[in-house]
Amino acid sequence: MRNLIQPPAVSRILPELFILENTSDDNPRFRLAGTTICSLMGREIRGENFAALWAGSQQDDPVRIAAGVMTHVVPALINATGYSVSGRSMTFEMVLMPLRTSGDICDRLLGCLTPTARSTWLGNEHLEFLALDRSRLLYERPARLVDAPSHPDPVDLLPVQESSGLGEWIRRKLNLAMNDGEQGKIDPPRDRFGRGL
């Protein structure tokens, strides 16, 4: 819910945050944008369409991703490369998280745009556009059920007779395993030199 977000709690990353709001034509636009994002783009982007950040040939995909996050209420991660006018580039991560203002309808997104590395030129040159590299949904995958390994019956792990020694019990189990479970003949007990007792 929008009213549960407390700016002081995210003050450290507040300049990198933005909020997108949905429009009637499913073309999200910036309702708010942090100072770092506006500085990167070299302009105030509040009120602009989300598509305005992206390369002209790629605008449809990021817009579809943002609209899909709101429709399906599933967060997404976008990896993008930002290009400056001089041709320099920097990789970015953008997280899009569903946000509701009221009721059950998700009509906004809380986003965060951060460079994957720091660079001296990034503060001095503005980005001309972002290019979409890849994206993925951040939904929680249900735990995969794994068949429990078969464990021996605890009774099979105990020596048959109290008087039997551990060595005899191990020998009996090995013989059973070598004979494919046949419970026929079991070697007689032997002393430490291998002679029959």
Side-chain angles (χ1 to χ4, degrees), residues 11-160:
S11 59
R12 189 173 58 84
I13 59 169
L14 204 56
E16 298 172 341
L17 296 181
F18 60 87
I19 292 179
L20 295 178
E21 62 183 353
N22 202 9
T23 59
S24 58
D25 58 349
D26 287 330
N27 191 12
R29 68 171 166 247
F30 286 95
R31 184 173 178 85
L32 295 171
T35 55
T36 298
I37 299 171
C38 293
S39 177
L40 283 171
M41 302 312 294
R43 64 188 188 276
E44 173 62 58
I45 59 174
R46 181 178 178 172
E48 286 190 16
N49 288 334
F50 183 54
L53 260 62
W54 303 91
S57 60
Q58 285 192 328
Q59 292 178 348
D60 291 344
D61 289 335
V63 167
R64 258 196 305 270
I65 294 166
V69 168
M70 285 187 264
T71 302
H72 302 292
V73 195
V74 176
L77 173 68
I78 292 176
N79 295 98
T81 302
Y83 293 91
S84 71
V85 177
S86 67
R88 291 181 174 173
S89 63
M90 174 62 66
T91 55
F92 290 84
E93 285 188 344
M94 177 184 288
V95 178
L96 301 175
M97 297 167 283
L99 193 61
R100 291 190 311 244
T101 50
S102 64
D104 295 329
I105 298 172
C106 177
D107 56 352
R108 296 192 184 170
L109 293 181
L110 175 64
C112 185
L113 178 68
T114 56
T116 58
R118 296 294 172 198
S119 175
T120 53
W121 71 264
L122 200 54
N124 299 323
E125 292 185 38
H126 304 306
L127 297 180
E128 188 174 4
F129 59 84
L130 295 174
L132 178 67
D133 296 328
R134 65 183 175 272
S135 67
R136 66 184 174 96
L137 298 178
L138 298 177
Y139 59 88
E140 288 187 39
R141 293 184 173 91
R144 187 168 58 95
L145 296 177
V146 178
D147 292 336
S150 60
H151 295 289
D153 187 341
V155 174
D156 292 338
L157 299 176
L158 299 173
V160 176

Side-chain angles (χ1 to χ4, degrees), residues 1-6 99-101:
M1 294 292 290
R2 167 66 184 90
N3 59 2
L4 296 177
I5 297 175
Q6 302 298 323
L99 193 61
R100 291 190 311 244
T101 50

